[in-house]
């Protein structure tokens, strides 16, 4: 007999072990705002229901599972999360469309990689990575076989591993989809897979390298349908946000963003471009790869095999009569030279550099062969940034951080009334963190700093003059986010190294 109770007994089955019954679909569950959740000790099926749910769906769910069903109230957000979790671990269909034509490959390897268990594992691995918000999937060959990990919020975490007998087949399946040579296991290869997940379209950038125990594969997930983040959503301090907004709207000059790989530099540049008037200005970018599609912007992907490098593309772009140019990275003297010349001739140039702090961009430009007087004349500002993980709001709790960490990062700064960290919950996958936010330091190049650049002053003097000119060091911004209970002391120590 079917009932709708306000509360039910504790489940005898582990949360999350319930499969999706045949005949039910994700759309059905979302439409009725209900989700099969667990089996009671007495054998009844517990179905969580959001406010306003249609409980007549209980009959169909009970029939599909072949057992009586009882309802349990839950918030709409919790029901949606459980539906996503349940249907993620079912065999949902993912279309993996290859982006190039077929090659003649060994028939036996192709057949092995095309077996249903292999296809199912690769599909669900991509689905789990996307649902978790992972930026990368790592498949690493070891002595005991292939291990899988996701990069979540900049940190590697375990992912579902393939069955032992499918290790080689999984790698071959990915290489087959990326149009790589699956018979070649002695040299690195790079490829691309286009993935459709319902209405979403992803690009997977595939990289393989040979290791001692087999091939290691990394897939970078790029959401082609994602939207760029606005400048105000990056977590900048109010003063930095206002100054960066003013700098981004300048008619000419050069603004650089620095930081290590994966610190969100390109996201910040996209946010800066979002402040420009796309209808009145010609905006062109050179990127490797193009991470987001921007309406009204001409985006040029780097293609080294075809001779389209950053420098070569930038020279061609300047003949396109642009107002604003974004260069994905200044990695060689040619790119730096052309970018500086563009800034000198009345263009607004945005670009990135790999340096540890904002002031470090100045000697880096000099090392790339840019004359000191041109650096002084064209460089308007440098924004240095890192990404720290945000404490999960659902499981945040007070704690006492290590004293040495507090002494290291909080020296000379006021102590907050309390420190918080995430205890770990299903929403954050047990990590205690959900999402990331930036920590920043911004140097505006004033006349005093320009004189120091022309004199080729040592780096220590450049930093002193930047601090005197109003630069707030990154450590201060990071500590402020600790005080506002947005991140932890240990996370700041891990990311902000001073």
């Amino acid at each position: 007999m079917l009932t709708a109770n306000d509360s039910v007994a504790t489940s005898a089955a582990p949360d999350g072990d319930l499969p999706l019954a045949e005949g039910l679909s994700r759309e059905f569950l979302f439409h009725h705002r209900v989700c099969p959740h667990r089996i009671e000790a007495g054998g009844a099926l517990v179905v969580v229901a959001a406010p306003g749910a249609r409980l007549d769906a209980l009959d169909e769910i009970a029939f599909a599972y072949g057992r009586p069903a009882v309802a349990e109230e839950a918030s709409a957000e919790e029901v949606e999360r459980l539906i996503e979790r349940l249907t993620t671990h079912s065999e949902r269909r993912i279309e993996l469309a290859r982006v190039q034509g077929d090659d003649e490959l060994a028939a036996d390897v192709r057949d092995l990689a095309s077996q249903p268990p292999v296809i199912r594992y690769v599909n669900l691995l991509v689905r789990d990575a996307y649902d978790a918000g992972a930026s990368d999937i790592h498949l690493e060959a070891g002595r005991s076989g292939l291990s899988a990990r996701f990069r979540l919020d900049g940190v590697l975490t375990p992912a579902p591993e393939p069955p032992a007998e499918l290790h080689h087949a999984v790698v071959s399946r990915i290489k087959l989809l990326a149009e790589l040579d699956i018979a070649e296991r002695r040299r690195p290869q790079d490829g691309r897979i286009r993935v459709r997940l319902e209405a979403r379209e992803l690009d997977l950038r595939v990289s393989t390298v040979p290791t001692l125990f087999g091939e290691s594969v990394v897939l970078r997930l790029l959401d082609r349908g994602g939207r760029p983040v606005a400048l105000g959503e990056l977590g900048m301090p109010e003063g930095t946000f206002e100054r960066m907004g003013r700098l981004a709207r300048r008619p000419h000059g050069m603004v650089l963003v620095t930081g290590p790989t994966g610190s969100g530099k390109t996201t910040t540049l996209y946010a800066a471009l979002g402040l420009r008037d796309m209808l009145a200005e010609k905006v062109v970018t050179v990127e490797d790869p193009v991470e987001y599609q921007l309406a009204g912007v001409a985006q040029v992907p780097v293609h080294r095999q075809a001779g389209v490098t950053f420098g070569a593309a930038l020279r061609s772009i300047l003949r396109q009569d642009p107002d604003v140019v974004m260069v994905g990275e200044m990695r060689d003297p040619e790119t730096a030279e052309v970018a500086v010349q563009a800034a000198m001739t009345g263009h607004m140039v945005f670009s990135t550099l790999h340096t540890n702090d904002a002031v470090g961009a100045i000697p880096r430009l000099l090392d790339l062969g840019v004359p000191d007087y041109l650096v002084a004349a064209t460089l308007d500002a440098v924004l240095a940034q890192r990404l720290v993980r945000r404490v999960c709001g659902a499981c945040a709790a007070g704690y006492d951080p290590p004293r040495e960490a507090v002494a290291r990062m909080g020296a000379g700064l006021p102590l907050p009334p309390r420190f918080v960290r995430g205890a770990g919950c299903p929403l954050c996958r047990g990590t205690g963190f959900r999402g990331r936010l930036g920590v920043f330091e911004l140097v505006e190049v004033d006349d005093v700093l320009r004189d120091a650049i022309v004199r080729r002053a040592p780096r220590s003097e450049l930093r002193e003059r930047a601090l005197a000119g109003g630069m707030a060091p990154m450590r201060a911004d990071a500590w402020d986010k600790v005080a506002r209970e947005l991140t932890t002391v240990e996370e700041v120590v891990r990311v902000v190294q001073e």
Side-chain angles (χ1 to χ4, degrees), residues 164-237:
E165 67 275 10
L166 300 181
H167 287 176
H168 293 301
V170 166
V171 173
S172 297
R173 172 68 180 172
I174 293 171
K175 293 173 68 175
L176 181 65
L177 292 167
E179 291 297 340
L180 303 179
D181 184 355
I182 61 177
E184 176 56 74
R185 300 180 180 178
R186 298 168 298 176
R187 61 181 178 85
Q189 298 185 69
D190 296 302
R192 173 181 167 216
I193 306 171
R194 183 162 296 168
V195 179
R196 296 184 184 91
L197 302 173
E198 284 90 25
R200 309 297 294 181
E201 186 171 302
L202 307 181
D203 270 345
L204 303 183
R205 303 302 169 98
V206 181
S207 172
T208 71
V209 295
T211 67
L212 182 63
F213 298 104
E215 289 181 286
S216 174
V217 181
V218 176
L219 298 89
R220 167 65 57 87
L221 280 69
L222 300 175
D223 189 351
R224 293 167 56 88
R227 70 169 183 89
V229 178
L231 195 67
E233 300 173 4
L234 300 178
M236 290 182 182

Side-chain angles (χ1 to χ4, degrees), residues 305-375:
Q305 291 83 352
V308 184
T309 62
F310 277 112
L314 186 53
R315 290 185 187 277
S316 299
I317 281 173
L318 294 180
R319 295 192 288 270
Q320 292 277 309
D321 186 31
D323 297 291
V324 181
V325 176
M326 188 193 96
V327 184
E329 182 182 346
M330 286 190 190
R331 60 176 62 166
D332 55 69
E334 178 189 15
T335 305
E337 175 191 358
V338 179
V340 169
Q341 291 294 339
M344 281 289 294
T345 54
H347 304 86
M348 186 64 206
V349 177
F350 297 96
S351 190
T352 72
L353 277 175
H354 289 284
T355 62
N356 290 328
D357 57 12
V359 171
I362 296 171
R364 176 60 179 150
L365 285 174
L366 298 175
D367 290 342
L368 288 173
V370 180
D372 47 31
Y373 67 90
L374 285 181
V375 175

